[in-house]
Amino acid sequence: MPGVHQHAPGQIAQIAARAHQAGVPAVLLFGIPRDKDERATAAYAEDGVVQNAVRAIKQRAPDLTVITDVCLCEYTSHGHCGMVQRDGEHFTILNDESVQIIAKAAVSHAAAGADIVAPSDMMDGRIGAVRRALDAAGFSETAIMSYAAKFASCFYGPFREAAESPPQFGDRRTYQMDPANGDEALREAELDLEEGADILLVKPALPYLDILWRVRERFARPTAVYHVSGEFAMVKTAAEKRVLDERAAVLEIMTSLKRAGADFIITYWALELMEWLRS
Ligand code: PBG
Ligand code: ZN
């Protein structure tokens, strides 16, 4: 993915501190563990890659908000966001077993110092389970940003390459949402709020601006939008070919996300944006 790199644990604090100095208010961490297994054990290891990164960043830049992606797909050998039971060509996602591991991962991130945990797996009941687990472990101050409306999208392609997490069989359509079904997104958002979500997230961004608008209008709660890797790659590629002016395109896209109701924008351009907004 152009302009996107995996960072070694030893460098991450320095990079995050530089972003903080540039005015970026928060970072969202994804981990790529050394070893993956069927049960995603590395996802909740106390000295896991994300847990270590959170501690290092908090030491170096205590005021930078640290958000962690909570999912199993980077940690499972099969690349699915939950645990699976396989039967030849068929597989089922083990929802409740997955939710337990996801809650354990969230608690381990909070214990390392994460301010916000962001479950992106789309299992049923995960927000309630994460909230209960956090509270039980004494982390009632840790907030939850829920991927409430996460659609099964082709625009995640570059991320899956970068995160080394493409599913080894099947796809994610059984747990991510149908792009044709906008009402389902609102129902999911409502459930997540009932279960204790503090921030609702819509993803991807531009093809789903109507959903962002509806979620923000309907619930009037803090709403985030995730401008994803494929959306980023489209503009980057066009800019490299001199078809678009990158700065103008990005500023227009970000403006439209704000206009459609985003309180928070997750973007791969955060660093550049801070410079562009100042100049
Ligand atoms: C995995 C996850 C994905 C992204 C964020 N978390 C990929 C997926 O669901 O396949 C995509 C991010 C991006 O494309 O920028 N839970
Ligand atoms: Zn996942």
Side-chain angles (χ1 to χ4, degrees), residues 112-218:
D115 302 290
I116 304 175
V117 292
S120 67
D121 51 282
M122 299 304 284
M123 303 296 138
D124 293 329
R126 71 203 195 288
I127 299 302
V130 166
R131 185 69 274 161
R132 284 190 296 275
L134 287 172
D135 292 349
F139 300 113
S140 52
E141 294 298 309
T142 309
I144 302 177
M145 178 167 77
S146 165
Y147 286 65
K150 178 174 178 180
F151 289 89
S153 170
C154 75
F155 291 104
Y156 307 145
F159 171 94
R160 289 182 191 171
E161 291 305 312
E164 302 170 18
S165 66
Q168 301 299 307
F169 50 86
D171 58 44
R172 295 188 177 155
R173 274 178 297 189
T174 56
Y175 45 99
Q176 297 183 354
M177 285 182 323
D178 175 4
N181 195 343
D183 291 340
E184 188 189 6
L186 295 196
R187 282 195 297 273
E188 290 280 349
E190 187 168 16
L191 281 175
D192 284 1
L193 279 177
E194 283 168 13
E195 290 180 29
D198 301 286
I199 302 170
L200 297 170
L201 178 84
V202 175
K203 171 184 178 183
L206 285 189
Y208 299 90
L209 276 192
D210 56 324
I211 307 293
L212 172 59
W213 173 252
R214 289 173 74 189
V215 166
R216 188 67 184 76
E217 286 286 294
R218 166 99 48 114

